Structures are given as structure tokens and as C-alpha cells.
Amino acid sequence: MSLELNMAFEGKAREAISMAPNVVRVTANNPSPYTFHGTNSYIVGTNTLAVIDPGPDDPAHLSALLQAIDGRPVSHIFVSHTHRDHSPLTPALKAATGAEVLAQGPHRAARPLREGEVNPFGESSDYAFAPDRALADAELVQGDGFAIRAIYTPGHCANHTAFALEDTGLLFSADHVMAFATTVVAPPDGSMADFMASLDRLLQRDDRLYLPGHGGNVENPHRFVRGLKAHRKMRERAILERFVAGDRTIQAVVAAIYRDTDPRLHGAAALSVYAHVEDLVARGLLQAEPDLALDAHYRPA
């Protein structure tokens, strides 16, 4: 099944847009090749509200959120994960609203750093974040007129969590599934094995629409997730084939299979290949020489 990306996006930065009954989106003005038009924050509810993903530390975005909140009480702030385009505005929004902050937990990597390794996403991670309450997987949080369930979806980030608005078929998929691009999975922050397992978990659900952390909605989410899985499997095969053909480094693989990709994204592409390589080594299909590393040599096992 092919993966059909959708680059459509309605609205502009800091504009409050109704996405579904009692769901409003406000997009931060932080566009980039990774964030597309910017980070989507969502406001849920009518009289008493919840906010999902406050976004980057940007006073103008805080003002836009407070304008959309329009003086109504905010009981909960949900944070999907701790990258700097999603969580740093949380303290300011909490100070302005008094809401309880909920998330899976503080920032952590999917695995420990190896000797001599540097986390390439270190500067993009919000190590200062700490929730008021850590959410358990599948925990249901009852608000005034809404109920939100935490769906643990590690892969892009070890503490990544999607949020389901109960009895609506809506899932706030954050950076796990987005319509405009495939998700960056970058070790050690991310794990390809975890990412694929989280996709399988979403396929077990019956959500009808995803509202992601960047870009427009994911329509027909089951079909899209199946396409995303197929894309990752095709990428895995392409990577393995390059090593079988004689490539020995991740850099050589990136040059071959990402030759039509924006060069600004080649660093992220190398990390994505590395995530696949880690998984292939763990499954006994590749061998690292001497040890797993971004700049190591690899050959088929």
C-alpha cells in the first residue's frame, strides 16, 4: 500500500480554527522543514477547557492561546512529548491558567547513550519539563464535558503519547502520525522498533480522524497508518539492499536512497537510517563493525 502524503493546510499562524465540535486549533508561528507550518496546539471543551501541546516558548503564541481561551477556565494541559516545539510554553500557560499539567513523564531517551555518543536531538529536547502528574498508559482523564485517554506511542520520542477524545473518534496523534511527512525517528531519542509497535497499536483502535502536531488532519487514518507501515518496510528493504550491494556506511546509504530529498533534511535522514540499522542489527540482519554507531561500518550478517 502506497503512502499518500497530504500537504494541504488551512489557516495561518496564531489563528483559532474550529477543527471539530468543541476542538479549536491554534498553530504556532514556528515553520521549518521539520515543523511544516508550525506546531499545532489544540483547545478542547466548551465551558471548562483542556489544552493539548502548548507549543514552543513564544509569548505571541501564548497570547493567541489565551485569546482563544477567552477567559474560560482551563483544567488540564496535556503534553504529548518533550521536544522544544511542543512543551516549553507549558510553564507560562500553567501560570496564566492554573491548569494541571499531565504527560507520560519528563524527557528521556529510548536507550542510554553509548560510549562516546552524543544525542543529536539533545538541543531539541526540553529537559526542564516535568508534569504535575505522570499519566499511565490508557489512563482516562475526566474533564468538565470531555474525557481524554492517554495512548502511549513511543518511537519518535520515548515519552511520546497520543490523546484520544473519548466517544468522538478523534485522536490527537502529535508527531507519531502526520499527514504531510513521515515522522523523524532519531536514536537515541527515538526507536524504530518502538515506532513500528506503536503503529500496530493504533491499528487496533477505531479512530476516524487524527489531529496531528503539525500540518493538516489525517483522514482515513487506518489506511494512512497501513501506508506508513508499508513505507517503513520498503525503506528497511532499501537500506538492507544497499548494504548487500556493498555500501558500508550510513552516509553512503543516505546519498543513494535520499538523493531527491531536500539536503537540509539529510541529517535527519541519516538518523532515520540509523534507527532502521539499529533494528536490523537487533534482529540479526546486519552486523556492526566494530560496534553500533552513526559512523560505524556495517555488512550483512
Side-chain angles (χ1 to χ4, degrees):
M1 178 174 292
S2 64
L3 179 63
E4 298 178 1
L5 298 176
N6 184 358
M7 307 299 287
F9 185 79
E10 296 181 2
K12 56 186 179 181
R14 304 181 188 132
E15 181 181 14
I17 300 176
S18 177
M19 305 304 295
N22 304 326
V23 177
V24 169
R25 185 189 72 199
V26 180
T27 302
N29 189 27
N30 61 331
S32 77
Y34 299 101
T35 61
F36 199 33
H37 290 273
T39 302
N40 295 332
S41 300
Y42 295 96
I43 300 169
V44 178
T46 53
N47 298 320
T48 301
L49 308 175
V51 175
I52 297 175
D53 278 351
D57 187 8
D58 176 8
H61 187 55
L62 176 63
S63 296
L65 286 174
L66 293 176
Q67 183 175 354
I69 289 166
D70 193 26
R72 290 171 290 178
V74 179
S75 58
H76 300 87
I77 298 171
F78 294 87
V79 176
S80 66
H81 65 293
T82 44
H83 285 155
R84 289 190 175 276
D85 54 329
H86 286 262
S87 58
L89 193 61
T90 302
L93 185 61
K94 176 181 171 63
T97 62
E100 181 182 28
V101 176
L102 302 99
Q104 196 272 340
H107 188 79
R108 58 188 174 84
R111 61 163 174 76
L113 287 171
R114 299 189 175 97
E115 185 175 356
E117 184 180 24
V118 176
N119 185 350
F121 262 45
E123 293 184 0
S124 300
S125 302
D126 183 7
Y127 292 99
F129 175 85
D132 295 324
R133 180 158 62 91
L135 289 171
D137 183 27
E139 181 175 347
L140 184 66
V141 178
Q142 295 281 357
D144 180 11
F146 61 85
I148 293 176
R149 190 177 298 276
I151 310 296
Y152 185 39
T153 48
H156 172 65
C157 186
N159 63 0
H160 193 286
T161 305
F163 299 107
L165 188 58
E166 288 284 282
D167 301 321
T168 67
L170 300 180
L171 181 83
F172 299 91
S173 57
D175 285 12
H176 185 57
V177 180
M178 300 174 290
F180 85 98
T182 57
T183 300
V184 173
V185 180
D189 250 32
S191 159
M192 188 59 68
D194 288 348
F195 180 79
M196 297 298 284
S198 294
L199 291 180
D200 285 336
R201 182 169 193 201
L202 292 190
L203 287 175
Q204 296 170 5
R205 296 179 50 81
D206 60 355
D207 305 296
R208 62 177 178 82
L209 185 70
Y210 292 175
L211 289 82
H214 306 277
N217 294 346
V218 178
E219 310 283 348
N220 196 344
H222 269 215
R223 177 181 176 83
F224 190 86
V225 171
R226 289 194 298 268
L228 185 53
K229 279 192 64 180
H231 171 80
R232 287 294 188 182
K233 287 295 185 182
M234 288 173 59
R235 184 68 77 201
E236 177 187 276
R237 285 195 297 272
I239 291 167
L240 193 54
E241 287 170 0
R242 291 305 311 175
F243 285 118
V244 169
D247 287 348
R248 290 293 172 259
T249 66
I250 288 172
Q251 290 71 25
V253 171
V254 169
I257 67 177
Y258 287 92
R259 57 184 176 273
D260 296 327
T261 299
D262 185 339
R264 294 177 297 172
L265 300 178
H266 277 197
L271 293 170
S272 182
V273 170
Y274 187 28
H276 278 292
V277 165
E278 283 194 333
D279 189 35
L280 289 165
V281 169
R283 289 156 51 196
L285 298 173
L286 279 182
Q287 181 177 339
E289 298 177 345
D291 298 304
L292 267 168
L294 187 61
D295 58 355
H297 285 67
Y298 298 90
R299 66 177 61 252

